[in-house]
Amino acid sequence: MAFEKEIGKRKTFGIIAHPDAGKTTLTEKLLLFGGAIQEAGAVKSNKIKKGATSDFMEIERQRGISVATSVLAFEYKGKKINILDTPGHKDFAEDTFRTLTAVDSVIVVVDVAKGVEEQTEKLVEVCRMRNIPMLVFVNKMDREGKDAFDLMDEIELKLGLRVSPLSWPIGIGSSFKGIYDIRQKSIGLFSSDNKQKISEPVSFSDLNHPDLEEIIGSNYAENIREEINIVNEVYPEFSREEYLNCNLQPIFFGSALNNFGVRELLDAFVEIAPEPQPKETDFRTVLPNENKFSGFVFKIHANMDPKHRDRLAFVKVVSGKFERNKNYLHVRAGRQMKFSSPNAFFADKKEVVEESYAGDIIGLHDTGNFRIGDTLTEGENMSFKGIPSFSPEFFRYVNNADPMKAKQLEKGIDQLMDEGVAQLFTLEYNNRKIIGTVGALQYEVIQYRLEHEYGAKVNYENFPVYKACWVEAEDEKSEEFKEFKRIKQKYLARDKFDQLVFLADSSFTIQMSLEKYPSVKLHYVSEF
Ligand code: G4P
C-alpha cells in the first residue's frame, strides 16, 4: 500500500546533549546536507544563554524560537527526516523527557574535551528506560580533547553504553587530520580553512596500502593502522539488530562547526536508524502501518500573542494517515473533533497539510481542549501510555495576589499546567495549591505569563518537599491505608489527574513510611 511506503520513509529522532556540546550546530549542518537550508546560521539557538535566566524578554524570545525549531523536517536520500528539538537547559528537562516519547531514535552529542556531562547522563538514562536506540556523535574534534580510547571508556562507564565505533579520528585538535570511516572504509581529510566546503572522502579498502603514508604522513598512517586493529579487537562489531534492540550504540567522530564527519553520520543514520515504531496503549500495541490513524499530544505551545489564547498542540502520528477536516475522537474528552488547518513543519517554515503519516509530527490549533498525553483515534477507545510526570524538584504554595482575578488565575494555572510548564498539586485537607517545577526559573515564567496572558497576579511561599511520590495502595479499604492517610493527611495532595500524591519532606520520611505501611507503594513517576 502506498501509505505503508510513506511510513517506511520516515525517520523521526531527537538530538540530546549537555548545553554547548554542539546540538544546534549539528542540527544546522544536518539541514545543510539535506538541502533544507542554504547557509549556516539559519537555525537559531534555542537555549538560554548564561546569565539571562531572569530576563523575561529572553524567556519570551526563547518561546518564539522554540516553536520555530520544535520540529525540523527535510528529505535526504529518499527518506523523510524529522528532527525534534529537545531543550538542553536543565530547567526544561521535563519538556525534553516528553519529547523523547515522540522520537524513534536519538543522536547523543558529546564534546570531546568535556566528555560525558551531567545532562547527557540523565537524558541517556531516560532513553535507556524507554528503549530508544541511540547513536553517539563525538563533536569538536578540531579542539584539544580526550584520547579517543579514554573517551570510549568514559562513555561505556558513565553512560552504560556498549559502543561500536563506526568512524575513528586521525589525530586530534591542532593535529587533527581527519576521520577514518570504518563502515565505508574511506578517509575524510580535515582542513580547518574550508569550513563550509565538503571534500570527497578517499576510499581505502586496505589501510596497509602505501598511499596512506603519502596522504596523511607515516606517523599518522602507522597510528591509525594500530588503532583500528585495537578497535577491531576491543569493540563489538556493529550489528543493526543489536542497535535497534538498544544493546549496542554506534559512535561517530567529527566537528559539526567545520562540517566534518557529519555526512558520514547522516549517511549511516538514514541507513540504520529505525522507522516509526509501535507504541503501547492501555489496551494493546498500536503498529505504525495500521490502516486507522492514531496519535498523541506530546507538547503544547502557547501562542505568543496574549490576545489570542490559542495554542499549538504537537501530535505524533503513531499509526495510519492523518487527514485534514476528518473527524477524530479525542479520547479523554469523549468527543469528535476535526482540524481545518493542521500544520506540518519544515526546516524554516510551517505549512497547512492535507495529510500526514505515522512518524510525522503535526501541529493542531487548540483553544484549550488538549492536555499533554491526550490520544486521538478514528474511534477506538484507547490511550497511549508513556508520558509520565516525574517528581518535580521545587515546590511552592501559590497565593492569589489579586482576589478580583480569581477566575482568571484558575484558568491561567489550568492552561499552563496543560501545557506542561509545571505540575499542580492540590492539598487534600485544605485545598491549597502547590506548584512543582523542575527548575526555579519556571516560577518566574509562570508569574510573568499569568500576569501578561491572563491578567492574574500570584506570589509564592516556600513549601519544603523532598519528593512527590505517587501513592498506590494494595487495598484502598485496608486499615493500613486509612491509617497512612490519617497520619500523612497534611502532606497528601491530588495531581491534575486526581491521582493521590504524598509530598514527602525527606528521604527518611519515605523510608519510614515504606517500612510502616508496606502495602502502600510510593512511586517517583506518575505512571506505574
Ligand atoms: P548546543 O546547541 O548544544 O548548546 O551547542 P551549540 O551548537 O550552540 O554550540 C556551542 C558552542 O560550541 C558554539 O560556540 C559553537 O560554535 C561551538 N561548536 C559547535 N561545534 C563545534 C566544533 O565542532 N568545533 C568547535 N571548535 N566548536 C564547536 P559559541 O562560541 O558558544 O557560540 P557561537 O558564538 O559560535 O554561536
Side-chain angles (χ1 to χ4, degrees):
M1 257 192 292
F3 95 97
E4 283 187 345
K5 208 172 146 205
E6 280 296 330
I7 294 169
K9 277 170 63 177
R10 273 132 176 96
K11 309 254 176 189
T12 301
F13 77 107
I15 304 182
I16 56 174
H18 192 87
D20 271 350
K23 185 167 69 73
T24 312
T25 314
L26 179 63
T27 306
E28 182 172 275
K29 296 302 151 81
L30 292 173
L31 295 173
L32 272 174
F33 273 105
I37 54 169
Q38 303 313 321
E39 56 185 307
V43 179
K44 305 261 181 329
S45 172
N46 176 18
K47 62 180 177 184
I48 306 251
K49 296 273 182 209
K50 290 177 202 85
T53 45
S54 54
D55 180 342
F56 296 122
M57 289 324 289
E58 178 65 15
I59 293 165
E60 287 298 284
R61 195 182 66 82
Q62 292 298 336
R63 288 180 54 216
I65 292 172
S66 78
V67 170
T69 60
S70 284
V71 188
L72 299 158
F74 65 97
E75 301 237 350
Y76 185 75
K77 295 198 167 171
K79 303 284 178 198
K80 175 159 185 232
I81 305 196
N82 296 313
I83 309 181
L84 270 56
D85 188 45
T86 55
H89 193 287
K90 69 175 175 17
D91 283 11
F92 294 93
E94 186 119 1
D95 197 12
T96 297
F97 295 155
R98 284 190 296 254
T99 300
L100 290 177
T101 62
V103 302
D104 297 309
S105 72
V106 299
I107 294 181
V108 185
V109 181
V110 175
D111 179 330
V112 70
K114 295 198 179 132
V116 171
E117 295 171 90
E118 188 194 341
Q119 224 23 40
T120 325
E121 278 184 69
K122 281 193 186 154
L123 293 168
V124 164
E125 185 54 39
V126 173
C127 292
R128 198 198 336 273
M129 267 165 42
R130 302 234 171 106
N131 278 327
I132 302 173
M134 289 178 255
L135 195 152
V136 181
F137 181 72
V138 178
N139 190 28
K140 307 198 186 181
M141 290 307 296
D142 58 313
R143 282 202 185 155
E144 303 305 326
K146 302 189 180 195
D147 167 75
F149 287 108
D150 289 347
L151 194 61
M152 295 296 98
D153 285 351
E154 191 177 325
I155 290 171
E156 284 180 331
L157 213 70
K158 281 197 180 164
L159 297 179
L161 301 183
R162 192 167 156 250
V163 296
S164 169
L166 286 186
S167 76
W168 197 256
I170 306 173
I172 188 174
S174 53
S175 60
F176 181 53
K177 281 275 169 204
I179 300 278
Y180 177 60
D181 183 336
I182 296 178
R183 225 169 52 98
Q184 306 288 1
K185 295 203 177 351
S186 64
I187 284 181
L189 290 174
F190 178 69
S191 133
S192 58
D193 53 355
N194 65 345
K195 286 193 176 177
Q196 301 313 330
K197 279 198 223 105
I198 308 145
S199 54
E200 279 302 312
V202 188
S203 178
F204 259 100
S205 53
D206 179 8
L207 271 183
N208 289 319
H209 199 287
D211 280 0
L212 190 63
E213 267 85 0
E214 247 174 62
I215 293 181
I216 59 174
S218 53
N219 278 350
Y220 287 106
E222 207 174 298
N223 265 345
I224 186 72
R225 285 178 189 133
E226 226 170 73
E227 291 189 0
I228 292 297
N229 275 340
I230 301 175
V231 167
N232 288 338
E233 266 171 37
V234 173
Y235 300 108
E237 199 179 327
F238 176 72
S239 136
R240 180 166 189 237
E241 200 185 329
E242 295 233 53
Y243 154 66
L244 295 180
N245 288 332
C246 305
N247 293 326
L248 185 100
Q249 287 76 29
I251 298 218
F252 295 81
F253 293 83
S255 164
L257 186 66
N258 292 292
N259 221 346
F260 196 77
V262 179
R263 178 171 45 194
E264 289 79 355
L265 172 76
L266 185 57
D267 283 347
F269 177 84
V270 289
E271 225 180 282
I272 66 174
E275 294 157 4
Q277 294 295 294
K279 199 162 175 70
E280 289 291 319
T281 68
D282 45 358
F283 287 116
R284 65 182 187 91
T285 306
V286 175
L287 303 176
N289 56 4
E290 289 180 16
N291 274 327
K292 293 201 166 142
F293 158 78
S294 65
F296 66 95
V297 177
F298 66 94
K299 180 183 179 113
I300 293 179
H301 216 293
N303 199 303
M304 298 293 291
D305 182 355
K307 283 187 229 81
H308 300 98
R309 224 178 268 144
D310 72 325
R311 314 186 288 181
L312 204 57
F314 289 80
V315 173
K316 163 90 184 272
V317 182
V318 179
S319 66
K321 179 165 87 169
F322 174 92
E323 289 172 75
R324 189 168 87 93
N325 277 332
K326 187 168 170 179
N327 267 316
Y328 292 117
L329 175 67
H330 180 325
V331 176
R332 179 177 56 85
R335 65 186 174 90
Q336 298 283 327
M337 293 176 86
K338 63 177 170 186
F339 304 92
S340 59
S341 52
N343 284 130
F345 302 87
F346 301 95
D348 47 1
K349 58 182 185 297
K350 58 182 173 45
E351 262 176 17
V352 172
V353 280
E354 292 298 325
E355 50 193 40
S356 288
Y357 296 87
D360 281 336
I361 309 298
I362 41 177
L364 302 179
H365 290 282
D366 170 41
T367 47
N369 295 308
F370 286 123
R371 191 185 272 178
I372 283 174
D374 279 348
T375 298
L376 284 173
T377 68
E378 285 198 23
E380 196 172 343
N381 230 321
M382 61 181 180
S383 295
F384 284 104
K385 294 207 288 194
I387 308 210
S389 300
F390 296 86
S391 172
E393 304 277 327
F394 299 87
F395 297 83
R396 289 184 194 167
Y397 279 122
V398 45
N399 296 324
N400 185 359
D402 182 354
M404 304 297 287
K405 300 281 170 62
K407 266 204 167 139
Q408 285 87 333
L409 177 63
E410 197 171 326
K411 179 159 191 186
I413 289 187
D414 205 41
Q415 295 210 341
L416 292 185
M417 299 305 129
D418 280 352
E419 267 181 49
V421 175
Q423 291 181 57
L424 183 72
F425 301 99
T426 309
L427 282 179
E428 273 206 314
Y429 85 109
N430 64 2
N431 279 328
R432 282 195 74 178
K433 290 184 168 29
I434 291 162
I435 286 182
T437 66
V438 189
L441 177 59
Q442 261 94 339
Y443 289 104
E444 297 175 43
V445 176
I446 293 167
Q447 196 172 35
Y448 178 83
R449 288 190 57 193
L450 283 173
E451 191 169 341
H452 288 81
E453 292 170 34
Y454 299 89
K457 285 204 171 103
V458 290
N459 55 44
Y460 301 112
E461 224 177 287
N462 269 340
F463 184 67
V465 176
Y466 163 71
K467 277 250 163 23
C469 307
W470 279 265
V471 179
E472 180 189 21
E474 261 171 35
D475 176 5
E476 296 208 347
K477 294 203 179 80
S478 71
E479 285 308 313
E480 191 171 298
F481 186 55
K482 281 184 196 153
E483 154 118 355
F484 167 83
K485 285 191 72 171
R486 193 174 55 77
I487 299 289
K488 304 293 182 195
Q489 193 189 43
K490 287 192 172 163
Y491 304 95
L492 290 178
R494 293 279 164 182
D495 72 2
K496 207 163 165 22
F497 300 93
D498 213 31
Q499 274 182 282
L500 187 65
V501 180
F502 172 39
L503 302 173
D505 60 4
S506 69
S507 62
F508 179 72
T509 314
I510 297 174
Q511 202 51 43
M512 291 303 288
S513 169
L514 290 173
E515 278 170 24
K516 203 159 172 212
Y517 311 103
S519 73
V520 182
K521 303 223 159 47
L522 302 176
H523 304 271
Y524 294 146
V525 181
S526 67
E527 220 173 61
F528 39 83

